[in-house]
C-alpha cells in the first residue's frame, strides 16, 4: 500500500464516528465506507415523529425504519442504539412550521431539521458516545484549511448534481461542520446503489424517503389542520395585464423595496372566482388544491393574505405575478457559514443563488444594507416565497443563507 494511504488509515484507526443510520441506502453506504476507512463506527437511529395524522401511506413507520437500520448495523458489525428526539423535533421543527404557516409563510422543514435536530440535539447525543465525528448520508462535501491560526471549514456541493443536498445544510455553522463527515458526498447515487448491492446491504433496493423530514409524505392541509382551523375565504384572480404594468421598475438601490418584496395585492386588484379552505394552507406558485375550472390554462397562487383570508391567483405558467426580480433577507435572519466572508455595510457582491432544493443556481448580486440583504437576480425568479431559504454559493462552496421575508 502507498505510504500516504497507510498514514491516513492509521490516523483514522481509533477515531470514533457516530453515524445517523436512518434505514435508507445513503446512510447505510456511508456507514460501510467509514468502516472501510478504518473508523470505529457506532450507529444511532433517531426517533423524531410518532403521529401519523395526515399521512398518505399507512405503512413504513419509524419502527420499520429502525428494524432495517438495525439489520444494516448487524451486517456491518456496528453497535446499534436508538434515541427518541420527538419532543425536541415537535418543539423546534413542527411547531415552528405551524407558526410560519399561520402567518402566511412557507417554511422548509428539512433545513430546520438539519439545523435544529441532526446537527444540534442529535450531535449532542452522538458526543455522549465519545464521538470524534458525526456522520450522515448527505450528498455534500467538506474541506478545511488553516487561516490566522485556526481551521476554517467549507461546505461544498455534492459531486452528484442530481442529488446535491448542500442546500438543506445551509444553516450549519463552523462548529457543527468541524465535527461533521459526509462519506458519500464524492460519489453519485447509482454508485451508492451499486455498493449497497455489492455488499448485500438490506437497504440496497429500498426507495428513498419522501415528504417532510422524518414525518413522511403527508396531505399538507390535513396535517396542518391539527393546529390550524379551516376557514372559508375568497379566491381572487389577478389579470396578467395588471401585473405587467406594475413591473417596470429600474434596478437601483432606491427601488430595492419595490423589487425585493412581493407585490401587496388588494381585493380590488381582481375578481372573485371561487372559495378556498384557508389562506394559510396555500403557498406562492401552488397549482394543486384550487379546484376551480373554466380557464384555458392552469391557475397558480400569486400571493396570500392570511389577515383578510384571501388567495390571489393568476392564469398560466407565464403570469407576470409569479415572477420577481429580487428578494430580501432581514438582518436577524442572515447566516454566514463562512463567517470570515461576511459582507460589510454598503458592500455588494456577486454570488450564485438558489431559493429551493434542486433549483439551478442563478446569478445574482447581494447588497448589504443596514436592515438586511437585498438580492437582485440577473433573471427574474419564479415562485419566490416568504419563509423559504435563499442560499448563496461561490462556485461549489455554500457561503451563507437566510430566510426570505
Amino acid at each position: 500500500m502507498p505510504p500516504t494511504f497507510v498514514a491516513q488509515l492509521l490516523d483514522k484507526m481509533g477515531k470514533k464516528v457516530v453515524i445517523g443510520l436512518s434505514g435508507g441506502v445513503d446512510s447505510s453506504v456511508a456507514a460501510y465506507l467509514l468502516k472501510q476507512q478504518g473508523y470505529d463506527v457506532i450507529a444511532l437511529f433517531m426517533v423524531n415523529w410518532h403521529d401519523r395524522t395526515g399521512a398518505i401511506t399507512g405503512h413504513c413507520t419509524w419502527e420499520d425504519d429502525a428494524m432495517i437500520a438495525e439489520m444494516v448495523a448487524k451486517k456491518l458489525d456496528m453497535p446499534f442504539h436508538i434515541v427518541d428526539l420527538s419532543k425536541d423535533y415537535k418543539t423546534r421543527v413542527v411547531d415552528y412550521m405551524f407558526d410560519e404557516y399561520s402567518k402566511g409563510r412557507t417554511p422548509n422543514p428539512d433545513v430546520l431539521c438539519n439545523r435544529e435536530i441532526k446537527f444540534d440535539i442529535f450531535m449532542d447525543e452522538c458526543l455522549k458516545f465519545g464521538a470524534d465525528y458525526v456522520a450522515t448520508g448527505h450528498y455534500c462535501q467538506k474541506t478545511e484549511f488553516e487561516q490566522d491560526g485556526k481551521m476554517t471549514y467549507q461546505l461544498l456541493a455534492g459531486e452528484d448534481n442530481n442529488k446535491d443536498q448542500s442546500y438543506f445544510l445551509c444553516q450549519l455553522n463552523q462548529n457543527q461542520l468541524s465535527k461533521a463527515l459526509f462519506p458519500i458526498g464524492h460519489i453519485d447515487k447509482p454508485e451508492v446503489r451499486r455498493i449497497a448491492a455489492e455488499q448485500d446491504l438490506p437497504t440496497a433496493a429500498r426507495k428513498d424517503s419522501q415528504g417532510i423530514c422524518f414525518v413522511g409524505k403527508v396531505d399538507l392541509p390535513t396535517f396542518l389542520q391539527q393546529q390550524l382551523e379551516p376557514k372559508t375565504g375568497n379566491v381572487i384572480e389577478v389579470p396578467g395585464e395588471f401585473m405587467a404594468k406594475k413591473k417596470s421598475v429600474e434596478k437601483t438601490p432606491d427601488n430595492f423595496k419595490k423589487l425585493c418584496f412581493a407585490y401587496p395585492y388588494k381585493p380590488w386588484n381582481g375578481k372573485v372566482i371561487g372559495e378556498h379552505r384557508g389562506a394559510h394552507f396555500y403557498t406562492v406558485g401552488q397549482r394543486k388544491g384550487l379546484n376551480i375550472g373554466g380557464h384555458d390554462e392552469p391557475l397558480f397562487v400569486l400571493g396570500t393574505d392570511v389577515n383578510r383570508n384571501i388567495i390571489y391567483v393568476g392564469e398560466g405558467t407565464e403570469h407576470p405575478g409569479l415572477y420577481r426580480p429580487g428578494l430580501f433577507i432581514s438582518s436577524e435572519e442572515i447566516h454566514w457559514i463562512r463567517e470570515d466572508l461576511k459582507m460589510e455595510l454598503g458592500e455588494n457582491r456577486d454570488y450564485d443563488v438558489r431559493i429551493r432544493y434542486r433549483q439551478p443556481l442563478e446569478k445574482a448580486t447581494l447588497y448589504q444594507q443596514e436592515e438586511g440583504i437585498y438580492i437582485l437576480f440577473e433573471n427574474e425568479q419564479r415562485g419566490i416565497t416568504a419563509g423559504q431559504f435563499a442560499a448563496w454559493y461561490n462556485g461549489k462552496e455554500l457561503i451563507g443563507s437566510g430566510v426570505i421575508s
Side-chain angles (χ1 to χ4, degrees):
M1 288 186 287
T4 53
F5 177 81
V6 174
Q8 291 173 355
L9 187 62
L10 290 173
D11 181 61
K12 292 173 182 176
M13 288 181 64
K15 291 287 180 68
K16 188 174 290 187
V17 178
V18 175
I19 184 164
L21 203 61
S22 66
V25 67
D26 297 331
S27 61
S28 300
V29 171
Y32 165 76
L33 293 176
L34 289 169
K35 292 279 288 187
Q36 290 298 105
Q37 292 167 18
Y39 287 109
D40 177 11
V41 186
I42 297 172
L44 187 57
F45 179 90
M46 286 178 275
V47 179
N48 283 339
W49 194 247
H50 298 277
D51 193 354
R52 299 296 295 163
T53 303
I56 290 177
T57 54
H59 60 286
C60 196
T61 62
W62 73 262
E63 291 94 344
D64 298 323
D65 292 332
M67 179 183 67
I68 299 295
E70 187 171 13
M71 291 169 61
V72 171
K74 287 182 178 178
K75 176 77 176 178
L76 297 177
D77 192 25
M78 299 184 303
F80 178 79
H81 303 275
I82 295 177
V83 59
D84 191 331
L85 304 178
S86 56
K87 288 184 179 178
D88 293 299
Y89 186 83
K90 180 184 182 303
T91 301
R92 298 173 69 166
V93 178
V94 176
D95 287 351
Y96 177 89
M97 280 179 58
F98 284 126
D99 183 59
E100 286 287 273
Y101 273 105
S102 72
K103 296 173 182 175
R105 293 158 59 89
T106 306
N108 189 310
D110 296 285
V111 175
L112 291 170
C113 181
N114 285 311
R115 184 184 74 187
E116 301 291 332
I117 304 299
K118 290 180 184 175
F119 292 90
D120 191 347
I121 302 297
F122 179 72
M123 183 170 276
D124 289 343
E125 292 294 326
C126 293
L127 296 178
K128 291 178 183 178
F129 288 89
D132 296 292
Y133 298 105
V134 177
T136 67
H138 284 101
Y139 286 86
C140 60
Q141 303 178 83
K142 183 187 87 169
T143 58
E144 58 189 58
F145 64 91
E146 187 174 342
Q147 65 174 354
D148 300 327
K150 69 175 184 178
M151 298 304 297
T152 294
Y153 301 92
Q154 298 173 290
L155 177 62
L156 307 178
E159 282 301 312
D160 187 341
N161 291 328
N162 292 321
K163 290 293 293 182
D164 169 38
Q165 294 174 312
S166 59
Y167 173 81
F168 289 140
L169 306 182
C170 68
Q171 289 276 292
L172 298 194
N173 59 40
Q174 286 290 300
N175 182 57
Q176 291 167 325
L177 279 176
S178 72
K179 300 179 179 68
L181 292 179
F182 307 112
I184 63 171
H186 64 291
I187 56 180
D188 61 21
K189 186 75 177 196
E191 177 67 4
V192 167
R193 290 284 185 191
R194 187 196 67 76
I195 293 172
E198 185 180 74
Q199 299 304 315
D200 195 26
L201 297 179
T203 54
R206 218 172 178 221
K207 292 182 179 180
D208 293 341
S209 60
Q210 294 181 325
I212 300 172
C213 183
F214 288 110
V215 175
K217 198 169 184 179
V218 299
D219 175 67
L220 192 58
T222 302
F223 181 76
L224 293 176
Q225 282 175 32
Q226 293 176 76
Q227 292 190 25
L228 304 181
E229 291 291 329
K231 185 178 173 183
T232 302
N234 289 330
V235 177
I236 295 179
E237 182 179 1
V238 179
E241 310 81 62
F242 172 84
M243 284 306 304
K245 293 177 182 178
K246 296 291 180 184
K247 300 188 74 166
S248 56
V249 179
E250 188 179 357
K251 292 185 179 181
T252 64
D254 291 338
N255 292 324
F256 278 162
K257 291 185 179 179
K258 291 180 180 178
L259 292 165
C260 295
F261 285 92
Y263 180 78
Y265 297 102
K266 300 293 189 297
W268 50 86
N269 291 159
K271 63 178 180 179
V272 177
I273 61 169
E275 292 184 337
H276 59 78
R277 294 182 289 167
H280 42 257
F281 296 142
Y282 296 83
T283 186
V284 173
Q286 181 174 334
R287 173 183 172 182
K288 294 182 179 179
L290 292 171
N291 301 317
I292 296 174
H295 291 76
D296 294 330
E297 295 185 70
L299 292 174
F300 294 89
V301 176
L302 305 179
T304 63
D305 184 336
V306 294
N307 294 320
R308 291 190 178 98
N309 196 32
I310 295 172
I311 293 175
Y312 297 93
V313 301
E315 182 178 4
T317 57
E318 299 304 315
H319 191 288
L322 287 170
Y323 294 82
R324 278 166 50 191
L327 59 87
F328 174 73
I329 297 171
S330 63
S331 295
E332 61 270 19
E333 296 286 4
I334 300 170
H335 173 75
W336 293 94
I337 293 177
R338 286 290 302 277
E339 296 172 352
D340 56 312
L341 296 179
K342 284 182 180 178
M343 292 171 63
E344 300 294 333
L345 184 63
E347 183 181 0
N348 64 75
R349 202 180 292 168
D350 292 336
Y351 281 118
D352 295 322
V353 178
R354 65 166 45 106
I355 56 174
R356 63 180 65 89
Y357 176 53
R358 289 187 180 276
Q359 182 208 27
L361 289 169
E362 299 286 344
K363 294 186 180 302
T365 302
L366 277 63
Y367 298 85
Q368 179 69 64
Q369 302 289 302
E370 186 173 353
E371 64 271 27
I373 288 179
Y374 293 92
I375 299 179
L376 292 181
F377 293 95
E378 188 174 286
N379 300 305
E380 286 194 332
Q381 296 300 300
R382 188 179 192 277
I384 295 176
T385 308
Q388 291 281 292
F389 290 84
W392 44 95
Y393 292 71
N394 180 17
K396 293 182 72 70
E397 183 182 2
L398 205 167
I399 305 296
S401 67
V403 182
I404 300 171
S405 294

